[in-house]
Short mmCIF file of all heavy atoms in Angstrom, two decimals:
data_model
loop_
_atom_site.label_atom_id
_atom_site.label_comp_id
_atom_site.label_asym_id
_atom_site.label_seq_id
_atom_site.Cartn_x
_atom_site.Cartn_y
_atom_site.Cartn_z
N ASN M 397 -19.35 -2.03 -3.57
CA ASN M 397 -20.59 -1.25 -3.61
C ASN M 397 -21.75 -2.02 -4.25
O ASN M 397 -22.75 -1.41 -4.65
CB ASN M 397 -20.37 0.08 -4.35
CG ASN M 397 -19.29 0.92 -3.69
OD1 ASN M 397 -19.35 1.20 -2.49
ND2 ASN M 397 -18.28 1.30 -4.46
N GLN M 398 -21.62 -3.35 -4.31
CA GLN M 398 -22.70 -4.16 -4.86
C GLN M 398 -23.93 -4.13 -3.96
O GLN M 398 -25.07 -4.17 -4.43
CB GLN M 398 -22.21 -5.60 -5.04
CG GLN M 398 -23.24 -6.58 -5.59
CD GLN M 398 -22.65 -7.97 -5.78
OE1 GLN M 398 -21.46 -8.19 -5.55
NE2 GLN M 398 -23.47 -8.90 -6.21
N TYR M 399 -23.69 -4.06 -2.64
CA TYR M 399 -24.77 -4.02 -1.66
C TYR M 399 -24.64 -2.75 -0.83
O TYR M 399 -23.53 -2.27 -0.57
CB TYR M 399 -24.72 -5.24 -0.74
CG TYR M 399 -24.73 -6.56 -1.48
CD1 TYR M 399 -23.56 -7.30 -1.64
CD2 TYR M 399 -25.91 -7.06 -2.03
CE1 TYR M 399 -23.56 -8.51 -2.33
CE2 TYR M 399 -25.92 -8.26 -2.72
CZ TYR M 399 -24.74 -8.98 -2.86
OH TYR M 399 -24.75 -10.17 -3.55
N GLY M 400 -25.77 -2.22 -0.38
CA GLY M 400 -25.71 -1.06 0.49
C GLY M 400 -25.10 -1.40 1.83
O GLY M 400 -24.28 -0.66 2.38
N GLU M 401 -25.49 -2.58 2.36
CA GLU M 401 -24.96 -3.02 3.65
C GLU M 401 -24.95 -4.54 3.69
O GLU M 401 -25.85 -5.21 3.18
CB GLU M 401 -25.80 -2.48 4.81
CG GLU M 401 -25.29 -2.87 6.17
CD GLU M 401 -25.74 -1.93 7.28
OE1 GLU M 401 -26.44 -0.95 6.98
OE2 GLU M 401 -25.37 -2.17 8.45
N LEU M 402 -23.91 -5.08 4.32
CA LEU M 402 -23.81 -6.51 4.57
C LEU M 402 -24.05 -6.75 6.05
O LEU M 402 -23.37 -6.16 6.90
CB LEU M 402 -22.44 -7.05 4.18
CG LEU M 402 -22.09 -7.06 2.69
CD1 LEU M 402 -20.64 -7.53 2.48
CD2 LEU M 402 -23.05 -7.96 1.91
N LEU M 403 -25.05 -7.58 6.36
CA LEU M 403 -25.31 -8.01 7.73
C LEU M 403 -24.76 -9.41 7.87
O LEU M 403 -25.27 -10.36 7.27
CB LEU M 403 -26.82 -7.98 8.02
CG LEU M 403 -27.27 -8.55 9.37
CD1 LEU M 403 -26.62 -7.80 10.53
CD2 LEU M 403 -28.79 -8.49 9.48
N MET M 404 -23.69 -9.55 8.65
CA MET M 404 -22.99 -10.82 8.79
C MET M 404 -23.38 -11.50 10.09
O MET M 404 -23.18 -10.94 11.17
CB MET M 404 -21.47 -10.61 8.76
CG MET M 404 -20.96 -9.98 7.48
SD MET M 404 -19.17 -9.68 7.57
CE MET M 404 -18.81 -9.23 5.86
N LEU M 405 -23.94 -12.70 9.99
CA LEU M 405 -24.33 -13.49 11.16
C LEU M 405 -23.38 -14.67 11.26
O LEU M 405 -23.41 -15.58 10.44
CB LEU M 405 -25.77 -13.97 11.01
CG LEU M 405 -26.82 -12.89 10.71
CD1 LEU M 405 -28.19 -13.52 10.52
CD2 LEU M 405 -26.85 -11.84 11.82
N ALA M 406 -22.51 -14.64 12.27
CA ALA M 406 -21.46 -15.66 12.39
C ALA M 406 -21.48 -16.28 13.77
O ALA M 406 -21.53 -15.58 14.78
CB ALA M 406 -20.09 -15.04 12.11
N SER M 407 -21.42 -17.60 13.80
CA SER M 407 -21.36 -18.33 15.07
C SER M 407 -20.02 -19.04 15.18
O SER M 407 -19.67 -19.85 14.32
CB SER M 407 -22.50 -19.35 15.15
OG SER M 407 -22.39 -20.16 16.31
N GLY M 408 -19.26 -18.75 16.23
CA GLY M 408 -17.98 -19.41 16.44
C GLY M 408 -17.02 -19.23 15.27
O GLY M 408 -16.80 -18.12 14.79
N THR M 409 -16.47 -20.34 14.79
CA THR M 409 -15.52 -20.28 13.67
C THR M 409 -16.22 -19.93 12.36
O THR M 409 -15.55 -19.78 11.34
CB THR M 409 -14.77 -21.61 13.52
OG1 THR M 409 -15.72 -22.69 13.45
CG2 THR M 409 -13.83 -21.85 14.68
N GLY M 410 -17.54 -19.76 12.39
CA GLY M 410 -18.24 -19.21 11.24
C GLY M 410 -17.80 -17.78 10.95
O GLY M 410 -18.16 -17.20 9.92
N LEU M 411 -16.99 -17.23 11.84
CA LEU M 411 -16.40 -15.91 11.62
C LEU M 411 -15.41 -15.94 10.44
O LEU M 411 -15.18 -14.90 9.80
CB LEU M 411 -15.66 -15.48 12.90
CG LEU M 411 -14.95 -14.14 12.91
CD1 LEU M 411 -15.96 -13.00 12.82
CD2 LEU M 411 -14.10 -14.00 14.18
N ALA M 412 -14.84 -17.12 10.16
CA ALA M 412 -13.73 -17.23 9.20
C ALA M 412 -14.00 -16.59 7.83
O ALA M 412 -13.20 -15.77 7.37
CB ALA M 412 -13.33 -18.69 9.04
N PRO M 413 -15.08 -16.92 7.12
CA PRO M 413 -15.27 -16.32 5.80
C PRO M 413 -15.62 -14.83 5.84
O PRO M 413 -15.49 -14.13 4.83
CB PRO M 413 -16.42 -17.12 5.19
CG PRO M 413 -17.19 -17.64 6.36
CD PRO M 413 -16.16 -17.89 7.43
N MET M 414 -16.06 -14.35 7.00
CA MET M 414 -16.43 -12.94 7.12
C MET M 414 -15.20 -12.03 7.15
O MET M 414 -15.23 -10.91 6.62
CB MET M 414 -17.27 -12.70 8.39
CG MET M 414 -18.44 -13.66 8.58
SD MET M 414 -19.63 -13.60 7.21
CE MET M 414 -20.91 -14.71 7.86
N LEU M 415 -14.12 -12.49 7.78
CA LEU M 415 -12.95 -11.64 7.97
C LEU M 415 -12.33 -11.17 6.66
O LEU M 415 -12.05 -9.97 6.51
CB LEU M 415 -11.91 -12.38 8.83
CG LEU M 415 -12.33 -12.64 10.28
CD1 LEU M 415 -11.25 -13.42 11.00
CD2 LEU M 415 -12.61 -11.33 11.00
N PRO M 416 -12.07 -12.06 5.67
CA PRO M 416 -11.50 -11.56 4.41
C PRO M 416 -12.43 -10.57 3.69
O PRO M 416 -11.94 -9.66 3.01
CB PRO M 416 -11.30 -12.84 3.59
CG PRO M 416 -11.20 -13.94 4.59
CD PRO M 416 -12.15 -13.53 5.68
N ILE M 417 -13.74 -10.76 3.83
CA ILE M 417 -14.67 -9.84 3.17
C ILE M 417 -14.58 -8.46 3.81
O ILE M 417 -14.52 -7.43 3.11
CB ILE M 417 -16.11 -10.39 3.25
CG1 ILE M 417 -16.22 -11.71 2.50
CG2 ILE M 417 -17.10 -9.37 2.68
CD1 ILE M 417 -17.55 -12.41 2.67
N ILE M 418 -14.56 -8.42 5.15
CA ILE M 418 -14.44 -7.13 5.84
C ILE M 418 -13.14 -6.43 5.45
O ILE M 418 -13.12 -5.23 5.13
CB ILE M 418 -14.51 -7.33 7.37
CG1 ILE M 418 -15.89 -7.84 7.77
CG2 ILE M 418 -14.19 -6.03 8.09
CD1 ILE M 418 -16.01 -8.19 9.24
N GLN M 419 -12.03 -7.18 5.46
CA GLN M 419 -10.74 -6.58 5.13
C GLN M 419 -10.69 -6.14 3.67
O GLN M 419 -10.05 -5.14 3.34
CB GLN M 419 -9.62 -7.58 5.44
CG GLN M 419 -9.48 -7.85 6.93
CD GLN M 419 -8.44 -8.91 7.24
OE1 GLN M 419 -7.27 -8.61 7.40
NE2 GLN M 419 -8.88 -10.17 7.31
N HIS M 420 -11.36 -6.88 2.80
CA HIS M 420 -11.42 -6.51 1.39
C HIS M 420 -12.13 -5.16 1.23
O HIS M 420 -11.72 -4.33 0.41
CB HIS M 420 -12.17 -7.59 0.61
CG HIS M 420 -12.15 -7.42 -0.87
ND1 HIS M 420 -11.06 -7.71 -1.65
CD2 HIS M 420 -13.11 -6.97 -1.73
CE1 HIS M 420 -11.34 -7.47 -2.92
NE2 HIS M 420 -12.58 -7.01 -3.00
N ILE M 421 -13.17 -4.94 2.03
CA ILE M 421 -13.91 -3.68 1.97
C ILE M 421 -13.10 -2.53 2.54
O ILE M 421 -13.00 -1.45 1.94
CB ILE M 421 -15.26 -3.84 2.70
CG1 ILE M 421 -16.18 -4.80 1.93
CG2 ILE M 421 -15.95 -2.48 2.89
CD1 ILE M 421 -17.46 -5.16 2.66
N THR M 422 -12.48 -2.74 3.71
CA THR M 422 -11.74 -1.65 4.34
C THR M 422 -10.43 -1.34 3.62
O THR M 422 -9.90 -0.23 3.77
CB THR M 422 -11.45 -1.98 5.82
OG1 THR M 422 -10.74 -3.22 5.91
CG2 THR M 422 -12.75 -2.09 6.61
N ASP M 423 -9.91 -2.28 2.86
CA ASP M 423 -8.69 -2.02 2.09
C ASP M 423 -8.95 -1.20 0.84
O ASP M 423 -8.02 -0.70 0.21
CB ASP M 423 -8.02 -3.35 1.69
CG ASP M 423 -7.29 -4.01 2.84
OD1 ASP M 423 -7.07 -3.33 3.86
OD2 ASP M 423 -6.96 -5.21 2.73
N ASN M 424 -10.23 -1.10 0.45
CA ASN M 424 -10.59 -0.38 -0.78
C ASN M 424 -11.31 0.91 -0.40
O ASN M 424 -12.48 0.89 -0.02
CB ASN M 424 -11.49 -1.27 -1.65
CG ASN M 424 -11.87 -0.61 -2.96
OD1 ASN M 424 -11.52 0.54 -3.22
ND2 ASN M 424 -12.60 -1.34 -3.79
N GLU M 425 -10.61 2.04 -0.53
CA GLU M 425 -11.20 3.31 -0.10
C GLU M 425 -12.39 3.72 -0.95
O GLU M 425 -13.18 4.60 -0.56
CB GLU M 425 -10.14 4.41 -0.14
CG GLU M 425 -9.55 4.69 -1.51
CD GLU M 425 -8.48 5.76 -1.48
OE1 GLU M 425 -8.04 6.12 -0.38
OE2 GLU M 425 -8.10 6.23 -2.56
N ASN M 426 -12.55 3.07 -2.10
CA ASN M 426 -13.69 3.39 -2.97
C ASN M 426 -14.92 2.53 -2.67
O ASN M 426 -15.98 2.76 -3.25
CB ASN M 426 -13.30 3.23 -4.44
CG ASN M 426 -12.24 4.23 -4.88
OD1 ASN M 426 -12.32 5.40 -4.53
ND2 ASN M 426 -11.24 3.76 -5.61
N ASP M 427 -14.75 1.55 -1.79
CA ASP M 427 -15.88 0.68 -1.43
C ASP M 427 -16.55 1.26 -0.19
O ASP M 427 -15.99 1.28 0.90
CB ASP M 427 -15.39 -0.74 -1.14
CG ASP M 427 -16.54 -1.74 -1.07
OD1 ASP M 427 -17.69 -1.31 -0.90
OD2 ASP M 427 -16.27 -2.96 -1.19
N GLU M 428 -17.78 1.74 -0.37
CA GLU M 428 -18.51 2.40 0.71
C GLU M 428 -19.61 1.51 1.29
O GLU M 428 -20.59 2.00 1.88
CB GLU M 428 -19.10 3.72 0.21
CG GLU M 428 -18.02 4.71 -0.25
CD GLU M 428 -18.59 6.04 -0.68
OE1 GLU M 428 -19.82 6.14 -0.87
OE2 GLU M 428 -17.79 6.99 -0.82
N THR M 429 -19.44 0.22 1.16
CA THR M 429 -20.40 -0.72 1.72
C THR M 429 -20.37 -0.69 3.24
O THR M 429 -19.30 -0.74 3.85
CB THR M 429 -20.08 -2.15 1.25
OG1 THR M 429 -20.05 -2.19 -0.17
CG2 THR M 429 -21.11 -3.14 1.76
N PHE M 430 -21.53 -0.56 3.86
CA PHE M 430 -21.62 -0.68 5.31
C PHE M 430 -21.58 -2.17 5.69
O PHE M 430 -22.07 -3.02 4.94
CB PHE M 430 -22.93 -0.08 5.83
CG PHE M 430 -22.95 1.42 5.85
CD1 PHE M 430 -23.62 2.14 4.88
CD2 PHE M 430 -22.28 2.11 6.85
CE1 PHE M 430 -23.65 3.52 4.91
CE2 PHE M 430 -22.30 3.50 6.89
CZ PHE M 430 -22.98 4.21 5.91
N VAL M 431 -21.00 -2.45 6.85
CA VAL M 431 -20.96 -3.83 7.35
C VAL M 431 -21.40 -3.84 8.81
O VAL M 431 -20.91 -3.06 9.63
CB VAL M 431 -19.54 -4.44 7.26
CG1 VAL M 431 -19.51 -5.82 7.93
CG2 VAL M 431 -19.10 -4.55 5.80
N THR M 432 -22.35 -4.72 9.13
CA THR M 432 -22.71 -5.00 10.51
C THR M 432 -22.42 -6.47 10.77
O THR M 432 -23.05 -7.36 10.19
CB THR M 432 -24.21 -4.72 10.77
OG1 THR M 432 -24.46 -3.33 10.59
CG2 THR M 432 -24.59 -5.12 12.19
#
C-alpha cells in the first residue's frame, strides 16, 4: 500500500522484474495496490 497504483511498462524480457512484484501484491490480501 505504499503506492495507490503501479503502472508497469515492460518490453520483452523486461517483464521479468514485474512478475515477482505482481505476485507479491496478489499473495497479500492486505495489499490493495492497483496494478496496470
Side-chain angles (χ1 to χ4, degrees):
N397 301 306
Q398 179 178 357
Y399 305 103
E401 181 157 0
L402 292 176
L403 173 59
M404 300 177 170
L405 307 177
S407 175
T409 52
L411 180 67
M414 310 301 185
L415 294 177
I417 297 173
I418 295 175
Q419 293 176 88
H420 187 76
I421 292 172
T422 56
D423 284 346
N424 182 357
E425 62 181 13
N426 295 317
D427 193 342
E428 298 183 347
T429 304
F430 284 103
V431 174
T432 296

